[in-house]
Amino acid sequence: MKDAVVAVLTYRRPRDISAILPALVAQLGTVPEGWGARVLVIDNDPDGGAEETVDAVRRRLVGGEDIGYRHEPTPGIAAARNRALDTALAEDADVLIFIDDDERPQEGWLAALLAAHERYRGAGVAGPVESTFEAEPDAWVRAGRFFERRRPVSGTLLGLAATNNLLLDLPTLRRTGLRFDNAFGLVGGSDTLFTRSLVGAGGQLRWCAEAVVTDVVPAARVTRGWVIRRAYSSGNYWAFTSPLVTRGTVTKLVVRVRDAGRGLVRIAGGAFRAVTGLLVGSLGRRARGVRTMARGAGMVVGALGIRYQQYRRPAAN
């Protein structure tokens, strides 16, 4: 019997944990023959605030005994990801699957991921994320179509993946010894660096179009400010991590120069698109131009070795 661990990381989101755990437990009964699965909550709140919520869900939910809980007090998403990885490895699981606490798996999600892993036999499988909104997005955001994500065909090889819908093959990770870099815990990009390193080590990441999760987007994330910051951070950690998956001092320097140049091109191209959008009265063109500029700026800054703290937390009183 093969063993799958479904890990959900959380930080002070009791409502989301209460909502996702029943959905995940329902998925456990759909796994292909020859597989067993369980859920693991990683609580990244230094105070361990999610434990009471997890216990309450366990008590009222049929199948609640399949929910595990671990407390990771070290701040940062990388530390939480490593706790999930270490737990799954220690329990001799075969695959580790990440899903965000503010997402909801669609019907057949877990079965599709495991079936894809059986089919492709690679280092990992990633699936699509579709968005729903707690509040109507800003008109600027709607026009830019910023929450419409790519949908490759199943089996497509990937160069990197996020951990919002990702299966990882644990025998591969045992061989490579890869871990999430804690230096990226509060700046974002540890999953980008991890999966790029995995591919660089010869691992194959595949796409599974049938393994869909729904992202419940809060009102704070449907504004132009959030979209711009997100684009900046995405460009920043892409350029910052590029030299880290490259060997040789000279090559690293070439990569930094290349990414800085690409960032400048994006800034110029985005500015052109934004101005032409203004001239022709296209809000969508303007919005996409501004986002492209933000991503380009993030790339330039990242190429200079400066990281943006995407997951900065408020200081304790």
Side-chain angles (χ1 to χ4, degrees):
M1 178 75 72
K2 295 182 179 179
D3 186 29
V5 174
V6 181
V8 53
L9 282 50
T10 192
Y11 173 73
R12 297 180 180 177
R13 287 177 171 174
R15 185 177 66 170
D16 281 322
I17 281 295
S18 295
I20 193 175
L21 288 181
L24 291 178
V25 169
Q27 295 275 330
L28 300 184
T30 70
V31 298
E33 184 177 355
W35 281 92
R38 60 192 186 279
V39 177
L40 174 66
V41 177
I42 304 296
D43 184 4
N44 200 212
D45 178 4
D47 298 326
E51 185 171 15
E52 184 176 339
T53 302
V54 173
D55 285 342
V57 174
R58 274 203 201 106
R59 289 194 297 269
R60 72 169 187 266
L61 190 65
V62 175
E65 66 275 8
D66 291 321
I67 302 172
Y69 171 88
R70 296 290 186 278
H71 179 215
E72 177 48 65
T74 303
I77 194 167
R81 287 167 176 157
N82 280 329
R83 174 54 69 94
L85 176 59
D86 290 342
T87 301
L89 288 171
E91 295 177 356
D92 204 28
D94 295 282
V95 298
L96 172 63
I97 299 166
F98 284 107
I99 184 172
D100 288 351
D101 61 357
D102 57 355
E103 294 175 338
R104 307 293 176 260
Q106 293 190 12
E107 184 177 356
W109 164 74
L110 181 56
L113 277 180
L114 293 175
H117 180 59
E118 291 274 277
R119 184 181 312 123
Y120 303 123
R121 302 287 182 178
V125 180
V129 179
E130 297 178 349
S131 294
T132 60
F133 306 100
E134 290 185 349
E136 179 64 22
D138 185 301
W140 188 90
V141 175
R142 280 285 191 193
R145 305 194 304 274
F146 298 129
F147 288 92
E148 296 178 14
R149 296 173 172 91
R150 62 176 182 159
R151 293 293 291 268
V153 298
S154 290
T156 298
L157 283 168
L158 307 174
L160 76 162
T163 56
N164 54 3
N165 185 4
L166 178 66
L167 177 152
L168 293 170
D169 179 67
L170 291 178
T172 298
L173 298 187
R174 289 187 182 96
R175 288 195 301 271
T176 62
L178 283 174
R179 295 176 60 76
F180 295 92
D181 192 334
N182 281 326
F184 290 78
L186 297 176
V187 299
S190 64
D191 52 352
T192 297
L193 177 59
F194 181 92
T195 52
R196 291 181 73 181
S197 299
L198 183 58
V199 172
Q204 290 191 341
L205 290 177
R206 298 276 186 173
W207 184 257
C208 179
E210 297 76 24
V212 184
V213 300
T214 300
D215 177 29
V216 183
V217 183
R221 295 187 179 184
V222 292
T223 65
R224 69 183 67 190
W226 187 88
V227 168
I228 291 170
R229 288 191 298 273
R230 182 69 172 181
Y232 179 90
S233 67
S234 177
N236 180 261
Y237 60 66
W238 169 266
F240 190 88
T241 58
S242 289
L244 302 180
V245 295
T246 306
R247 295 182 179 179
T249 303
V250 174
T251 306
K252 289 177 184 292
L253 179 59
V254 170
V255 166
R256 288 188 182 276
V257 172
R258 179 202 65 191
D259 285 346
R262 288 178 175 177
L264 291 172
V265 170
R266 284 179 175 269
I267 293 171
F272 177 78
R273 174 178 283 188
V275 170
T276 56
L278 179 63
L279 293 175
V280 302
S282 171
L283 181 60
R285 189 174 181 85
R286 285 165 49 197
R288 289 189 295 275
V290 170
R291 187 181 69 162
T292 300
M293 291 172 63
R295 181 173 171 82
M299 290 177 67
V300 172
V301 172
L304 295 174
I306 301 171
R307 292 181 291 181
Y308 172 68
Q309 290 199 3
Q310 181 181 352
Y311 298 106
R312 184 187 296 111
R313 295 180 179 180
N317 293 328

